[in-house]
């Protein structure tokens, strides 16, 4: 197959940051995605509607005039988020979800939640307004092995949460384990999950390939091959509960290549191309459009995009560095040759999808 044409995808989990990093990374997302759910873990975090509107405008200010990219904003859940904030968010057309970071779980999560049971009225308001809760599903208990944090979270936090608030819409973000896949499949239609390209592509060996590879360190951390296989199987299965979310998370190279390198993989410049490769390798290119462009809007209750994109079977080399003002960002697969490439032609709205 030489090329594939699909409805322009959306990225249902993205870190865009601010300032010079935002300016440097946004073009990669705009090329591949029509909309993106924008994570709120800035410093300070985006905790209310006003902050989200300011951040949204900052993003739009960096978009080229002719671009149709739409940032879908989220609010950062804290111990102090009140039901009134949920109502305000629900009434704002640009805000689409709250994000749960258990305190200390990842980058800029110091203001995260210490006790979900203490937030019941707020969570019930989310269920009432059908505003999804996007979950970073890991416990932070230092006695729990870092590779078990998702499985323990499901048992001790996620299941009790859904028992307590059965109508809550939940997206289990960047799912990484077989247990997570089973949990989401068994849960009601109010529970879905995003899958990253890097968790589909790599197992935990990728962090230790003839030495420590900091650009493969992310949170949740890469898992064993058996878990990657479980993610792959469900990604290409056509199950509508599982859709695309890159979790592209740019960091300055010096912060990654340090004695305490931070978590995050900058995948935006290669993500869609990698998903195509992964689906092709699993004989499921016909399932890519659903995963990338249809199931996400279905869960969020948003229209399907009109635009289309073309991916060509054409080798290209990933840049080794993206310059962001004074900072440098190393993308996933830096310097490697990829076999799928985003078409440069401007995609026009058209009916039906076709391969050639
Ligand atoms: O790898 C990650 N990076 N995981 C997260 O949860 C946060 C993200 C970031 O903001 O850098
Ligand atoms: Zn993230």
């Amino acid at each position: 197959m030489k090329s594939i044409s699909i409805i322009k995808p959306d990225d249902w989990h993205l870190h865009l940051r601010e300032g010079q990093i935002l300016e440097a990374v946004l073009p990669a997302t705009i090329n591949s995605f029509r909309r993106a759910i924008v994570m709120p873990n800035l410093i300070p975090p985006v905790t209310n509607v006003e902050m989200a509107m300011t951040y949204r405008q900052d993003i739009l200010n960096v978009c080229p005039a002719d671009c149709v990219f739409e940032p879908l904003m989220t609010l950062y859940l804290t111990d102090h988020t009140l039901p009134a904030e949920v109502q305000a968010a629900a009434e704002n057309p640009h805000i689409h979800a709250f994000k749960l970071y258990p305190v200390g779980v990842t980058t800029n999560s110091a203001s995260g939640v210490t006790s979900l049971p203490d937030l019941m009225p707020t969570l019930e308001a989310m269920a009432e307004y059908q505003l999804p809760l996007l979950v970073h599903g890991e416990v932070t208990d230092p006695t729990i092995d870092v590779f078990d944090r998702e499985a323990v979270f499901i048992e001790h936090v996620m299941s009790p949460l859904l028992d307590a608030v059965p109508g809550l819409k939940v997206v289990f973000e960047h799912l990484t384990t077989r247990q997570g896949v089973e949990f989401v499949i068994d849960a009601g239609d109010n529970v879905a999950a995003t899958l990253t390209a890097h968790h589909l592509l790599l197992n935990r060996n990728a962090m230790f390939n003839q030495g420590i590879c900091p650009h493969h360190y992310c949170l949740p951390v890469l898992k064993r091959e058996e878990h990657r296989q479980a993610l792959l199987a469900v990604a290409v299965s056509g199950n509508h509960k599982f859709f695309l979310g890159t979790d592209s998370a740019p960091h300055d190279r010096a912060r990654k290549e340090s004695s305490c390198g931070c978590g995050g993989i900058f995948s935006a410049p290669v993500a869609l191309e990698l998903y195509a490769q992964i689906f092709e390798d699993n004989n499921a290119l016909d399932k890519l459009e659903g995963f990338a462009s249809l199931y996400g809007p279905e869960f969020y209750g948003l229209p399907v995009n009109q635009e289309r994109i073309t991916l060509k079977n054409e080798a290209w080399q990933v840049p080794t560095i993206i310059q962001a003002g004074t900072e440098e960002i190393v993308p996933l697969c830096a310097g490697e040759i990829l076999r799928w490439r985003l078409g440069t032609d401007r995609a026009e709205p058209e009916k039906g999808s076709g391969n050639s």
Side-chain angles (χ1 to χ4, degrees), residues 170-186:
V170 168
V171 183
F172 208 131
E173 300 290 345
H174 40 53
L175 205 64
T176 61
T177 59
R178 177 180 51 74
Q179 292 92 329
V181 170
E182 288 167 1
F183 176 82
V184 172
I185 288 175
D186 291 345

Side-chain angles (χ1 to χ4, degrees), residues 83-84 86-87 90-91 120-132 165-169:
V86 177
Q87 182 179 354
E91 287 168 356
M120 274 309 144
T122 301
L123 296 164
E124 276 156 9
M126 281 179 214
E128 183 188 335
Y129 292 107
Q130 289 292 284
L131 204 54
V165 195
L168 186 64
K169 274 183 104 164

Side-chain angles (χ1 to χ4, degrees), residues 249-322:
H251 288 281
D252 177 34
R253 175 182 192 157
R255 294 198 59 227
K256 296 279 300 169
E257 299 175 6
S258 97
S259 61
C260 186
C262 55
I265 293 181
F266 177 48
S267 63
V270 291
L272 192 55
E273 295 83 345
L274 286 177
Y275 284 114
Q277 176 186 311
I278 290 161
F279 275 64
E280 184 184 40
D281 288 344
N282 287 274
N283 299 317
L285 261 185
D286 59 323
K287 299 284 195 327
L288 180 65
E289 184 174 57
F291 175 81
S293 314
L294 300 177
Y295 309 153
E298 189 183 320
F299 185 83
Y300 276 87
L302 291 170
V304 169
N305 294 329
Q306 296 288 304
E307 300 81 359
R308 304 185 66 81
I309 52 121
T310 302
L311 283 154
K312 295 177 180 163
N313 216 238
E314 187 180 296
W316 64 289
Q317 186 170 23
V318 181
T320 50
I321 286 285
I322 309 286

